[in-house]
């Protein structure tokens, strides 16, 4: 496997595009994508070594004594038997130490390639990769309200993600295109990611055959040899917590792992429902589940890239609703990061989580709590980093650009503090002295352009100006930004032959089966 | 000084109140005030030892070489001369090591007593005390919009703070009562804090004579002997950055320090205007200023309680507006905490800072960024912890209750993670097993009431219910909460004799001077 080889067919940005692509590039609005965040600040580590030792010991007990269920998957049971697990019915009991030993072949970092090599990302170590919201059946904006998502909405989100400076990744199911048959959706979704963006993306996991289609489309986009040697997708494999691995998700995992494509092995937990109400209990179950899933990926193919996933939220015991941005979720996000690092795996958690129905103050408090904790907990891959609303039922266009803008604060925070002579600014302090001001001094003139992060959505105007301009709130300002981004969107260049081959593949596949909305 | 002695006159809650007070207590809505936050989690420390060493060395250079200005204050210059500083005109140059040496007599923690002894707070160490917004000339709510603040608004905020579970402190100038003459405002503000709440509060700093009035009113409330022996006020002494100490603030500090009352010695910095645009440069100036101010307090009275204050925000170089919740402010908040701990002083920073004109998403992102960083930076006293809007020009009633509610997340986060057998929940994991759910299991039933923090303002309802109830956003929900709290407010009991004595004092003072609005 070569992690430095470059895609052979889709080519670098600007290469391989026809005249139309070159014209498009000349007229495109200038915008950048930030490099993945590389942390120059320490992680926050809230759990003691003692607590982590207890969790690890308890997780081994859970795996050996209670075990996990691999449902409707006789091949998986055979594989587990072969490596020494105790299999009774669909229950797999894993002797202490075995899961951790199997996990050891998984890489601690890997590169996911984008068709634009400048946008390939390293996942693991001190890096943080940001990807948009995943999975909502509804979309929302001020103009259209809350409604079922369509493929047009999906494409609009892919364009917004492409144009967002602080997003490194195009994501996967940014919303469910409910107007496309279920068995054909993945084809249209992949087409959107492949043609409307040049950032890395995720593959389909809703059926093993769709995972195979995802790989075949990547072979067209990147070239067959390149895909054989490199990771070009990172896909989301949810565990059916507690302790259950269903055949659909495991089938997709089997396809991806066998092809050396990356998977996030992720418990999906509403604390108090799918895991105990305590932080320690939840972390124990999370670790047991992730170890079993990662071990299984390594049985399929030792060395297959995987991510330690943790989606955990708490429950409102009055209403049964999941709640977000809570301190208990923060403890779990933080502790799971410590466990992932001890296991030597990249870590996925946190996001723009909120329970609010609108991109209002509640949404923003909850989201900011989760985003900050994600950065400080050593998250390496943050799915849902923008656009999430209403407990994940809704992908919101306005919240998408508000959140995406806030991700800039994570980049600047992670840079840490420069300490060189220029940063020390002693000459400026000497020049200005008691009672002066720094606005015009040489040091300020030299440094102000890069000194401070600045929002591209928020209002920084004086009250009077703001009032004259219509007293717009964040949601209204965000709606303008969505329009501005979409109006100036130009697709990244793509070899017309590749595009045609992708279109032919999708047309053939769609013709090969009847529509299904199941 | 006895830190355990109790107020002799105002008495415990319920004691000393007449029949009316007892009746009030019986009909009062039940509500609690949380104990101050005691951190069971580690601080985040973003700056390296090397960076901190550089800042400390540079700050000493600033004090010795550039010095600080004590304006219109010949007594201060004499005092500085007497301890060995080099005084030229109003410039005080402090030889390396002298300021730090003088700071050493300041206590690392102290108790600020409340008239209700259960609400006395410890400031320093692992504790975090939360106080409301301070200083805005305007107030705002949905119904009345943005308008000049009045004493009625002030009293309403004091009531809200009294009823807020997560606020430990009643604060000071929660808004400027602009309908009361400037020279008499402090009397009405103190009356509100003393009679409408039983939480600790701040004294006046706008003139040394008003600081004296504050002490005299405390002597009526707590008893003269008690005030002689104990700290009953913590007041805000701003430094006129860069490096300037004006006669008003220093005059108030002199009064408070001499009476062993606490002062927050706080640079007020918009980075790029009152300090260099770099984090290191700003921290150097902050440390130099705080050391000079604290040293001066200890010259007045060795052992006088003080807090290392840091109010720092960045500037939007496009508009010149201060910006809040930014990553650069986070770096400074975090680094100043490290410097304060190395100096052995309690630390004040962070707050519900935002630049927005409304309690919208912008306000909440910015606020949450600052509140979280405050907790993780080891802040001991957080002024402005709720209610701040529009760069501090406005105290917002709705944002006050939204922020105050969010302060609950800091309490729960700071508690850290329990690791005992109950928390480990192994029996629950055994009981539920693969594919089950935890909602009804014994461990959940036993623990759910205290397991998760829950907002008292946010919407957790299903979409359909929420829509039927009017699709209310956070601001609307907060407006309801303000009304509910004010409607159920009952004043804490206070000895009628003390109240009458306070009223007589205020009446006499007001009669003794003409109104002034200057």
């Amino acid at each position: 496997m070569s992690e430095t080889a470059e895609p052979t067919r889709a080519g670098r940005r600007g290469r391989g595009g026809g005249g139309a692509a070159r014209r498009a590039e000349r007229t495109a609005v200038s915008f950048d994508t930030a490099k993945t965040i590389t942390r120059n600040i320490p992680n926050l580590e809230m759990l003691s070594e003692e607590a982590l030792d207890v969790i690890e010991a308890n997780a081994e007990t859970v795996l050996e004594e209670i075990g996990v269920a691999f449902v409707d998957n006789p091949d998986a049971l055979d594989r587990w038997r072969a490596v020494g697990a105790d299999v009774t019915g669909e229950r797999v009991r894993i002797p202490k130490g075995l899961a951790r030993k199997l996990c050891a072949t998984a890489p601690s970092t890997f590169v996911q390639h984008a068709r634009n090599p400048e946008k390939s990302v390293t996942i693991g170590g001190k890096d943080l990769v940001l990807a948009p919201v995943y999975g909502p059946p509804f979309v929302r904006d001020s103009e259209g309200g809350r409604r079922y998502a369509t493929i047009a909405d999906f494409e609009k989100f892919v364009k917004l993600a492409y144009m967002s400076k602080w997003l490194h990744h195009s994501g996967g199911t940014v919303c469910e295109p409910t107007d496309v048959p279920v068995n054909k959706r993945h084809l249209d979704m992949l087409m959107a990611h492949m043609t409307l963006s040049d950032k890395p993306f995720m593959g389909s996991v809703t059926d093993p055959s769709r995972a195979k289609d995802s790989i075949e489309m990547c072979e067209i986009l990147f070239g067959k040899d390149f895909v054989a040697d490199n990771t070009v997708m990172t896909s989301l494999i949810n565990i059916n917590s507690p302790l259950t691995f269903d055949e659909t998700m495991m089938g997709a995992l089997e396809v991806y792992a066998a092809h050396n494509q990356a998977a996030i092995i992720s418990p999906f937990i509403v604390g108090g429902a799918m895991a105990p109400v305590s932080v320690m209990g939840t972390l124990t179950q999370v670790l047991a589940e992730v170890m079993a899933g990662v071990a299984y990926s390594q049985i399929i193919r030792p060395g297959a890239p995987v991510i330690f996933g943790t989606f955990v939220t708490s429950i409102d015991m009055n209403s049964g609703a999941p709640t977000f941005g809570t301190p208990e979720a923060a403890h779990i996000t933080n502790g799971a990061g410590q466990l992932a690092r001890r296991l030597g795996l990249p870590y996925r958690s946190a996001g723009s989580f909120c329970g609010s129905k609108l991109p209002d103050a509640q949404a923003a408090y909850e989201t900011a709590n989760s985003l900050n904790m994600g950065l400080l907990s050593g998250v390496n891959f943050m799915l849902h980093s923008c656009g999430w609303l209403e407990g994940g039922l809704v992908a919101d266009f306005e919240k998408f650009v508000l959140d995406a803008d806030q991700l800039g604060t994570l980049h600047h925070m992670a840079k840490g503090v420069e300490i060189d002579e220029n940063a020390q600014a002693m000459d400026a302090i000497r020049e200005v002295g008691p009672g002066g001001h720094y606005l015009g001094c040489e040091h300020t003139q030299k440094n102000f352009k890069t000194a401070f992060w600045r929002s591209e959505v928020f209002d920084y105007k004086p009250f009077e100006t703001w009032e004259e301009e219509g007293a717009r709130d964040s949601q209204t300002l965000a709606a303008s930004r969505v329009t501005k981004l979409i109006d100036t969107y130009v697709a990244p260049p793509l070899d017309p032959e590749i595009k045609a081959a992708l279109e032919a593949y999708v047309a053939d596949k769609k013709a090969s089966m009847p529509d299904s909305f199941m």
Side-chain angles (χ1 to χ4, degrees), chain A:
Chain A
M1 187 180 92
S2 158
E3 290 194 339
T4 52
E6 285 179 6
T8 49
R9 297 189 64 196
R12 288 179 168 280
R13 186 166 48 175
R15 170 151 59 84
R22 278 192 297 274
R23 274 193 305 280
E25 202 174 32
R26 278 199 302 274
T27 57
V29 173
S30 156
F31 65 93
D32 300 321
T33 293
K35 288 284 159 198
T36 57
I37 294 175
T38 301
R39 291 179 181 79
N40 289 318
I41 56 172
N43 291 320
L44 179 68
E45 306 223 313
M46 290 202 275
L47 266 66
S48 64
E49 294 292 305
E50 183 197 354
L52 298 169
D53 289 343
V54 168
I55 292 166
E56 287 176 349
N58 285 349
E60 294 284 358
T61 300
V62 168
L63 290 175
E64 178 171 278
E65 188 187 302
I66 305 166
V68 297
F70 273 71
V71 179
D72 289 339
N73 195 340
D75 289 350
L77 300 176
D78 288 344
R79 291 186 185 108
W80 275 115
R81 247 182 233 108
V83 297
D86 167 21
V87 179
T88 311
E90 293 188 321
R91 187 74 66 96
V92 178
R93 292 186 174 82
I94 306 169
K96 287 185 185 177
L98 176 60
R100 185 168 283 266
K101 193 182 136 208
L102 289 166
C103 290
T105 54
S108 57
T109 68
F110 63 91
V111 172
Q112 181 188 348
H113 293 270
R115 71 171 170 99
N116 177 351
E118 287 174 23
K119 297 186 182 173
S120 296
V121 292
T122 298
I123 299 176
K126 287 181 179 287
D127 278 21
L128 170 54
V129 173
L130 300 169
V133 60
Y134 186 106
F138 298 101
V139 296
R140 195 206 148 277
D141 56 20
S142 313
E143 203 183 328
R146 183 187 192 256
R147 58 199 185 267
Y148 275 103
T150 65
I151 189 69
D153 293 317
F154 187 101
E155 291 171 353
K156 192 170 166 184
F157 276 120
V158 172
K159 291 175 183 176
L160 290 176
Y162 171 64
M163 297 191 75
S164 293
K165 178 172 182 181
W166 309 117
L167 277 173
H168 317 113
H169 204 282
S170 194
T173 308
V174 288
C175 60
E176 279 286 349
T178 60
D179 53 342
V180 180
V182 168
N183 58 338
K184 300 177 180 178
R185 263 176 214 175
H186 63 293
L187 302 165
D188 289 354
M189 292 195 280
L190 281 163
M191 270 302 280
H193 286 301
M194 290 178 172
T195 60
L196 302 177
S197 181
D198 63 0
K199 295 184 180 180
F201 53 83
M202 305 171 81
S204 176
V205 295
T206 53
D207 192 271
S209 70
R210 295 172 200 153
K212 285 187 192 114
D213 293 349
S214 304
I215 289 172
E216 286 170 8
M217 287 181 73
C218 282
E219 288 172 345
I220 298 171
L221 183 68
F222 289 94
K224 201 158 181 163
D225 293 347
F226 190 83
V227 173
D229 290 339
N230 294 284
T231 298
V232 297
M233 281 180 288
T234 298
S235 303
L236 178 61
I237 304 296
N238 274 328
I239 297 166
N240 199 348
S241 302
L243 302 170
T244 304
F245 295 76
D246 68 52
E247 75 285 14
T248 303
M249 284 287 165
M250 287 305 104
L253 173 62
E254 288 157 17
V255 172
Y256 285 125
H259 287 81
N260 205 37
Q261 299 305 308
I264 307 166
I265 313 283
S266 204
F268 178 88
I269 291 174
V270 178
M274 292 90 118
V277 288
S278 64
V279 171
M280 284 289 278
T282 298
L283 284 172
T284 299
Q285 186 182 307
V286 163
L287 180 60
E289 292 177 346
V290 170
M291 287 209 299
V294 170
Y296 186 63
S297 75
Q298 302 302 301
I299 295 172
I300 299 290
R301 175 169 169 157
V306 285
I307 300 175
F308 184 128
T310 302
F311 177 97
V312 175
T313 177
S314 46
I315 197 169
D316 170 32
M317 287 290 183
N318 288 14
S319 65
T323 55
F324 298 91
T326 60
E328 294 77 24
H331 287 147
I332 292 168
T333 299
N334 195 258
Q338 294 178 270
L339 294 167
R341 288 190 289 282
R342 283 163 67 118
L343 202 53
L345 292 176
Y347 176 47
R348 170 257 163 150
S349 196
S352 57
F353 298 140
C354 64
S356 188
K357 314 297 181 289
L358 297 169
D360 58 2
Q362 175 181 349
Y365 287 113
E366 291 174 333
T367 292
N369 289 349
S370 184
L371 293 179
N372 282 300
M373 192 46 60
L375 176 72
L376 298 177
S377 297
V379 167
N380 299 114
F381 188 88
M382 194 191 289
L383 195 58
H384 309 300
S385 70
C386 61
W388 168 290
L389 197 72
E390 202 189 313
L393 285 175
V394 174
D396 187 282
F397 287 105
E398 287 134 12
K399 185 157 182 286
F400 192 99
V401 298
L402 285 165
D403 292 339
D405 181 67
Q406 273 295 297
L407 298 176
T409 68
L410 304 190
H411 282 76
H412 278 248
M413 180 100 85
K415 280 199 301 189
V417 175
E418 287 180 17
I419 68 169
D420 62 12
E421 204 175 305
N422 176 59
Q424 291 176 39
M426 286 295 281
D427 285 348
I429 299 175
R430 284 190 184 95
E431 181 186 338
V432 172
H437 73 78
Y438 289 81
L439 290 171
C441 85
E442 195 186 322
H443 182 265
T444 304
Q445 292 303 314
K446 193 173 133 199
N447 292 283
F448 80 88
K449 278 188 186 160
T450 56
F452 299 132
W453 173 80
R454 184 182 194 280
S455 168
E456 295 185 84
V457 195
F458 287 172
D459 160 66
Y460 292 145
K461 293 175 178 163
F463 178 80
E464 291 71 19
T465 314
W466 171 81
E467 203 174 34
E468 276 166 28
E469 293 181 359
R472 293 177 296 176
D473 67 4
S474 306
Q475 195 180 165
T476 309
L477 292 168
S480 303
R481 183 159 172 84
V482 171
T483 303
K484 186 178 159 195
L485 288 174
I486 293 298
D487 285 351
T488 54
Y489 169 82
V490 177
L494 176 64
D495 185 331
E497 279 178 40
I498 292 174
K499 196 172 177 203
L502 286 168
E503 283 164 349
Y505 178 90
V506 169
D508 284 354
K509 270 283 162 184
K510 284 189 172 178
S512 73
M513 51 188 166
D515 289 356
S516 165
F517 277 91
M518 292 285 285

